[in-house]
Amino acid sequence: YNRQSLAVMERALRDDSCCIDVGCHQGVFLKEMLRLSPNGTHFAMEPIPDLYKELIQSFDKHPNVHLYDIALSEKKGTSTFQHVVSNPGYSGLKQRRYDRPNEEIQEIEVKTDLLDNLIPDDVRITFIKVDVEGAELQVFKGGVETIRKNRPVIVFEHGLGGSDYYGTGPDDIYDVLVEQCGLKLFLMADWLKNKGKAFLEREAFREQFSKGSNYYFMAAP
């Protein structure tokens, strides 16, 4: 999925494209955003304190990068957050299914905010990456105006073992991204191969989710 995501970015981004990295973690995708779009403005969100501090140290020399120590949601405020100390990539607002037994989990409190509150009106967003261990619907609900106005390419994780712990399924994602925001859903491989012509209808997206055939998807105009 990382290779496919990079291929999507390479096709979608220009020198001055602006991007958003939701669930920035250690900044792997943010580095690629800077490489592909050095003259764009980039926004990254990471609520785990230690990772956020590392991001500040790594990217503070880039004035076009804006870092936020928050978890994106559909509500502004604070929330408990499950920091999986033994496997930080699994961390999220709720506990989810973990592949390894006996993960070490530390509950912390984090700030939450809406994507729509953070992105300036005069910045045109081209690409968004969302990897939030099941809370992607909350991210999209809090970013409807940004998504609707900019019609970006979005790469996002959505799968059993994560999203279902939030009571979220493919129909919820379809309703927001397709029905409300006017985008189409794709498998990344299909979008890359068919130049955006082979998109997923609701039932096909539902089947991908229920069978676990894929857990990374993309949305695009």
Side-chain angles (χ1 to χ4, degrees):
Y1 289 122
N2 281 355
R3 289 195 299 270
Q4 290 179 348
S5 299
L6 179 57
V8 168
M9 292 171 67
E10 289 174 339
R11 183 172 297 182
L13 298 185
R14 302 182 305 274
D15 179 77
D16 60 349
S17 296
C18 301
C19 305
I20 302 172
D21 188 347
V22 186
C24 188
H25 200 58
Q26 294 178 317
V28 172
F29 278 88
L30 183 55
K31 290 177 183 176
E32 295 300 328
M33 293 170 182
L34 277 167
R35 180 180 68 85
L36 294 168
S37 301
N39 295 317
T41 301
H42 307 297
F43 305 85
M45 296 79 184
E46 176 51 58
I48 298 176
D50 289 345
L51 290 178
Y52 176 73
K53 290 177 183 177
E54 292 177 8
L55 291 171
I56 291 289
Q57 293 172 357
S58 298
F59 295 98
D60 63 353
K61 63 181 180 292
H62 298 284
N64 58 334
V65 171
H66 302 276
L67 298 170
Y68 301 87
D69 58 339
I70 61 167
L72 285 185
S73 185
E74 79 273 37
K75 295 184 292 185
K76 179 179 175 64
T78 60
S79 174
T80 54
F81 184 91
Q82 310 304 309
H83 178 199
V84 185
V85 179
S86 53
N87 200 350
Y90 277 136
S91 302
L93 291 170
K94 295 181 182 292
Q95 288 193 27
R96 51 155 295 168
R97 186 182 70 213
Y98 306 124
D99 293 333
R100 304 185 312 198
N102 305 317
E103 296 282 13
E104 180 187 353
I105 301 172
Q106 178 185 20
E107 186 170 273
I108 62 176
E109 186 173 273
V110 300
K111 295 177 288 186
T112 62
D113 208 339
L114 287 72
L115 182 63
D116 287 340
N117 289 342
L118 303 178
I119 307 303
D121 290 337
D122 60 347
V123 175
R124 174 78 179 177
I125 300 297
T126 299
F127 178 83
I128 305 174
K129 168 235 145 186
V130 179
D131 186 350
V132 289
E133 301 305 308
E136 53 274 2
L137 179 64
Q138 288 74 15
V139 173
F140 295 145
K141 282 184 173 181
V144 165
E145 294 307 316
T146 299
I147 297 169
R148 185 183 288 153
K149 180 180 72 173
N150 292 280
R151 294 173 60 78
V153 172
I154 305 173
V155 170
F156 64 97
E157 185 181 27
H158 179 61
L160 288 169
S163 306
D164 47 317
Y165 282 70
Y166 290 77
T168 299
D171 284 300
D172 303 303
I173 300 296
Y174 194 96
D175 287 344
V176 174
L177 293 182
V178 178
E179 302 294 348
Q180 291 188 46
C181 297
L183 300 178
K184 296 176 182 176
L185 300 183
F186 303 86
L187 296 176
M188 288 188 284
D190 289 346
W191 186 85
L192 290 164
K193 180 180 179 181
N194 299 298
K195 298 181 180 180
K197 296 179 181 178
F199 59 90
L200 295 170
E201 299 285 2
R202 183 187 292 269
E203 183 57 39
F205 183 49
R206 188 186 294 151
E207 184 176 351
Q208 288 283 333
F209 179 87
S210 62
K211 291 184 176 180
S213 303
N214 284 279
Y215 59 91
Y216 256 86
F217 301 92
M218 62 174 289

